[in-house]
Amino acid sequence: MESVEVFTTEGKGRGLKAQKEFLPGDVIFAEPAYAAVVFDSLTHVICHTCFKRQERLHRCGQCKFAYYCDRTCQRDAWLNHKNECSAIKKHGKAPTENIRLAARILWRIEREGGGLSENCLVSIDDLQNHVESFDEEEKKDLRVDVESFLEFWPAQSQQFGMQYISHIFGVINCNAFTLSDQRGLQAVGVGIFPNLCQANHDCWPNCTVIFNNGNHEAVRSMFHTQMRIELRALSKISPGDELTVSYVDFLNVSEERRKQLKKQYYFDCTCEHCKKKIKDDLMLAVKEGDKKPSAETVKEVIQFSKDTLEKINKARLEGTYHEVVKLCRECLKKQEPVLGDTNIYLLRILSIASEVLSYLQMFEEAAEYAKRMVEGYMKIYHPNNAQLGMAVMRAGVTHWHAGLIEAGHSMICKAYAILLITHGPSHPITKDLEVMRVQTEMELRMFQQNEFMYYKMREAALKNQKIQVMPEPSNEAPPSLFHKKE
């Protein structure tokens, strides 16, 4: 942590600033979780130590609740699981993820005290809880959590006052960080990282946070690495610059981002992009030309888009993907004469259409929509945005499956360049992309030498080996940075 320091700014409270220069892709610091738990719905399919998704997991023989990759992960977990294990056995069942996380935090405080832990810039006691900003519904939820916690908390453990327990739940409510599986595609757990909590929000940040599951393979114990988050630089950072991250996805107009930040994190965003409404014009763009649509027409199309998105969500939950495609096509027909290429309502429909059509193996139509989506995203997102990188990667794979090898390879290379900065070369997603980049480069050379033979060989390969089905479309948004209790 010698490369950063905590400082206090007027109006924003504590923040982090750089002590030395960083270049794009540099890891500014890596931090293990102070405490972390797997989501309730995934406790049996995710390792409780490294948070990787595995097909076969070993179950804790005592509480029958915790699952691990192997003995190595189980041994590494014992310090944090020991108290939890006996408490679950005594209680008869495991409580919710919020209660389990609070309990793990308090057991650690019982072991080490509430002061500064090793390599921590700030103690748990000093983290913001914003309890005084809770509305009536949040206060009611807090009371329920505290009551549930007291029922679970063992009598032989150190007893804490109601105010302190409420502080811990407040800290979880506004500081908890989302943990993802090894592919970074699904949120699987939640943890507290005190140093990361000091990084202030900016809608156009100079850093990104990536979750690294670490390596616990028993056969390679000499190469073990700890589960951690990594704060990585997105642009050049000079000594003394504040280090910022984005708590929300940028793909929303400034007013909506500010509403979301106020509701979830209890502050008014005063970043440059919100104050000056930078890129709002692109996100609300309408068709230019001689016949510019009227304000009334634009309003009608945006309302139609919102209504359609609700219907699409319902159809996706029911798994009726052909209905999703039908709704997307109808909506695009209404949007295309009215909305500009960077309008967020158009981009949202293009994103859903390309993802679902890829899953249904209608790759040519999917590729057309994915190309338009990526072109819009490139004009809006920061060039080193992780979500942009993931979107370009999906579009590249779709073009590759469609037999559009030139565009596919180009997009995969672009995605690889972005993810090298946001995720680093050793992240599983970046490694997967490197394999795809090499494969598509080889196919592209073949295509350039003899186009006819390339398509013949591709056709023969597809007959012998059915094309790999794209993953089933998810109804979840990509994992956000900080976890907010629903």
Side-chain angles (χ1 to χ4, degrees), residues 291-349:
K291 291 186 177 179
K292 192 173 178 181
S294 67
E296 191 56 40
T297 304
V298 173
K299 191 178 172 184
E300 279 174 22
V301 170
I302 286 177
Q303 190 54 54
F304 182 81
S305 303
K306 287 177 180 177
D307 295 342
T308 302
L309 284 164
E310 281 185 25
K311 290 177 189 172
I312 285 170
N313 285 338
K314 187 171 179 288
R316 287 174 82 166
L317 283 168
E318 292 166 356
T320 53
Y321 295 121
H322 286 282
E323 177 63 17
V324 172
V325 171
K326 179 171 162 283
L327 287 165
C328 286
R329 285 174 181 152
E330 283 171 4
C331 194
L332 286 167
K333 203 171 177 183
K334 288 250 189 192
Q335 289 176 332
E336 281 162 347
V338 176
L339 304 183
D341 294 341
T342 56
N343 189 291
I344 50 174
Y345 294 100
L346 174 69
L347 293 176
R348 281 169 192 161
I349 298 293

Side-chain angles (χ1 to χ4, degrees), residues 24-295:
D26 284 350
V27 177
I28 296 166
F29 68 77
E31 179 184 12
Y34 185 87
V37 294
V38 175
F39 286 151
D40 295 338
S41 58
L42 300 168
T43 52
H44 59 297
V45 292
I46 300 293
C47 173
H48 289 220
T49 296
C50 65
F51 292 76
K52 288 180 183 172
R53 179 181 284 279
Q54 305 285 4
E55 280 187 21
R56 297 183 68 182
L57 293 167
H58 299 266
R59 187 166 71 164
C60 173
Q62 295 186 53
C63 66
K64 314 286 189 213
F65 169 73
Y67 285 80
Y68 304 100
C69 295
D70 52 28
R71 296 288 176 203
T72 311
C73 276
Q74 191 164 5
R75 274 197 304 273
D76 285 354
W78 185 240
L79 178 66
N80 292 313
H81 179 57
K82 183 167 69 169
N83 296 106
E84 177 186 75
C85 188
S86 59
I88 289 171
K89 280 193 293 179
K90 193 168 183 184
H91 191 58
K93 62 175 183 178
T96 62
E97 64 217 27
N98 241 35
I99 312 300
R100 287 186 285 117
L101 183 55
R104 283 196 166 207
I105 291 169
L106 287 166
W107 275 314
R108 182 158 178 180
I109 289 169
E110 182 183 46
R111 288 196 308 270
E112 301 174 2
L116 277 178
S117 298
E118 190 182 358
N119 288 325
C120 276
L121 297 167
V122 66
S123 71
I124 291 289
D125 290 358
D126 289 333
L127 291 178
Q128 285 285 341
N129 61 48
H130 291 292
V131 171
E132 72 285 350
S133 303
F134 282 16
D135 60 28
E136 282 310 308
E137 193 60 36
E138 288 171 318
K139 284 175 183 169
K140 185 182 164 189
D141 289 343
L142 176 61
R143 285 193 293 272
V144 170
D145 275 346
V146 171
E147 284 168 19
S148 301
F149 172 83
L150 290 169
E151 285 173 22
F152 174 68
W153 189 248
Q156 69 272 21
S157 291
Q158 182 183 336
Q159 298 304 302
F160 296 91
M162 298 278 274
Q163 195 175 347
Y164 193 70
I165 296 167
S166 297
H167 164 72
I168 296 299
F169 279 111
V171 165
I172 291 169
N173 187 66
C174 55
N175 291 289
F177 176 79
T178 303
L179 310 182
S180 53
D181 62 5
Q182 61 267 46
R183 297 286 166 222
L185 300 175
Q186 186 189 10
V188 297
V190 55
I192 292 289
F193 298 81
N195 295 332
L196 174 63
C197 294
Q198 303 314 299
N200 283 319
H201 165 83
D202 194 298
C203 290
W204 199 259
N206 55 13
C207 299
T208 190
V209 179
I210 292 300
F211 180 60
N212 189 320
N213 301 82
N215 170 34
H216 286 81
E217 291 175 37
V219 291
R220 300 176 65 201
S221 57
M222 66 183 290
F223 299 114
H224 278 186
T225 54
Q226 200 171 12
M227 182 194 85
R228 61 202 183 275
I229 56 93
E230 293 170 354
L231 186 72
R232 306 181 72 93
L234 291 180
S235 51
K236 186 181 174 184
I237 297 169
S238 300
D241 285 355
E242 182 174 6
L243 303 169
T244 57
V245 294
S246 181
Y247 298 176
V248 295
D249 184 11
F250 183 68
L251 205 68
N252 228 328
V253 291
S254 52
E255 186 187 350
E256 288 302 316
R257 293 197 307 272
R258 292 183 83 175
K259 273 186 199 168
Q260 190 182 349
L261 289 162
K262 184 72 173 175
K263 187 182 175 190
Q264 292 193 357
Y265 306 105
Y266 313 102
F267 70 86
D268 296 302
C269 185
T270 56
C271 79
E272 202 74 1
H273 276 67
C274 280
K275 279 196 295 189
K276 296 182 178 175
K277 300 181 185 252
I278 299 170
K279 304 222 175 194
D280 279 12
D281 56 339
L282 284 174
M283 295 193 217
L284 297 175
V286 296
K287 279 282 183 202
E288 295 293 333
D290 299 335
K291 291 186 177 179
K292 192 173 178 181
S294 67

Side-chain angles (χ1 to χ4, degrees), residues 330-390:
E330 283 171 4
C331 194
L332 286 167
K333 203 171 177 183
K334 288 250 189 192
Q335 289 176 332
E336 281 162 347
V338 176
L339 304 183
D341 294 341
T342 56
N343 189 291
I344 50 174
Y345 294 100
L346 174 69
L347 293 176
R348 281 169 192 161
I349 298 293
L350 288 172
S351 173
I352 294 164
S354 62
E355 185 188 3
V356 173
L357 284 162
S358 290
Y359 175 68
L360 296 173
Q361 299 196 39
M362 298 162 77
F363 293 116
E364 285 183 27
E365 189 181 355
E368 179 198 329
Y369 295 146
K371 181 174 182 286
R372 290 170 59 193
M373 174 194 74
V374 163
E375 284 169 355
Y377 280 5
M378 298 282 265
K379 291 172 186 172
I380 293 174
Y381 275 120
H382 186 289
N384 291 334
N385 181 285
Q387 280 167 304
L388 171 65
M390 299 290 280

